[in-house]
Amino acid sequence: MESVQPILVIESYPAPIETIWRAITNPVHFKAWYFDIQDFKLKVGSTFHFTEPGGDTFLHECTILEIIENQKFKHTWSYPKLAKGITEVTWELENTQHLSVLTLTHSGTEIWKNDGAAFARENFMAGWQEILGVSLKGFLRV
């Protein structure tokens, strides 16, 4: 059986980990650079929903699986109206000598390989690279 690698995006920021943590876990902050998630509560077991900006085609449903403050945030990722199956997204933060490093791992997207071009691996990779490498960097002003 062929092993499928998760989508992995790693970005470095000259900002404190606490600032990045707030950006990825506080709806007031991530509304400015990520998605407007009105039912978000930073609590394990909490489920939240959102759609893409300017539309409502891709309803996302996520449930928080793990929280380690300033280190790790893990949640499910699914499209209940469009595709079957649930994937997982993990956001991990670590300090290096002069930078904070954010590693995002999106595992399990291969379950959607037959659900159309919108669910292609390369679309997820491009989306996460844009979100972390452009949107979050712009929000952090780095």
Side-chain angles (χ1 to χ4, degrees), residues 23-55:
I24 67 173
T25 62
N26 182 311
V28 172
H29 292 274
F30 58 65
K31 179 180 180 180
W33 68 273
Y34 187 46
F35 292 100
D36 182 9
I37 307 174
Q38 297 183 9
D39 61 347
F40 183 88
K41 290 182 180 57
L42 186 60
K43 179 181 176 188
V44 172
S46 175
T47 298
F48 58 94
H49 305 83
F50 61 96
T51 58
E52 74 281 6

Side-chain angles (χ1 to χ4, degrees), residues 82-97:
L82 296 173
K84 292 185 178 173
I86 298 172
T87 64
E88 291 184 355
V89 175
T90 304
W91 311 68
E92 295 178 282
L93 291 164
E94 65 179 310
N95 277 321
T96 63
Q97 190 171 7

Side-chain angles (χ1 to χ4, degrees), residues 14-117:
I17 277 183
E18 296 80 10
T19 300
I20 300 167
W21 179 257
R22 281 189 302 275
I24 67 173
T25 62
N26 182 311
V28 172
H29 292 274
F30 58 65
K31 179 180 180 180
W33 68 273
Y34 187 46
F35 292 100
D36 182 9
I37 307 174
Q38 297 183 9
D39 61 347
F40 183 88
K41 290 182 180 57
L42 186 60
K43 179 181 176 188
V44 172
S46 175
T47 298
F48 58 94
H49 305 83
F50 61 96
T51 58
E52 74 281 6
D56 62 358
T57 303
F58 291 94
L59 173 67
H60 300 68
E61 183 174 277
C62 306
T63 299
I64 298 174
L65 301 173
E66 184 176 5
I67 301 167
I68 302 173
E69 189 172 352
N70 296 320
Q71 293 177 39
K72 186 176 185 181
F73 175 51
K74 183 176 183 178
H75 58 81
T76 63
W77 183 280
S78 66
Y79 300 94
K81 294 183 179 181
L82 296 173
K84 292 185 178 173
I86 298 172
T87 64
E88 291 184 355
V89 175
T90 304
W91 311 68
E92 295 178 282
L93 291 164
E94 65 179 310
N95 277 321
T96 63
Q97 190 171 7
H98 300 289
L99 300 168
S100 295
V101 177
L102 172 59
T103 301
L104 182 131
T105 306
H106 192 164
S107 58
T109 60
E110 67 277 1
I111 64 172
W112 298 321
K113 68 181 178 184
N114 297 319
D115 289 320

Side-chain angles (χ1 to χ4, degrees), residues 2-8 106-110 121:
E2 181 182 331
S3 174
V4 178
Q5 295 296 316
I7 292 167
L8 187 67
H106 192 164
S107 58
T109 60
E110 67 277 1
R121 177 185 174 84

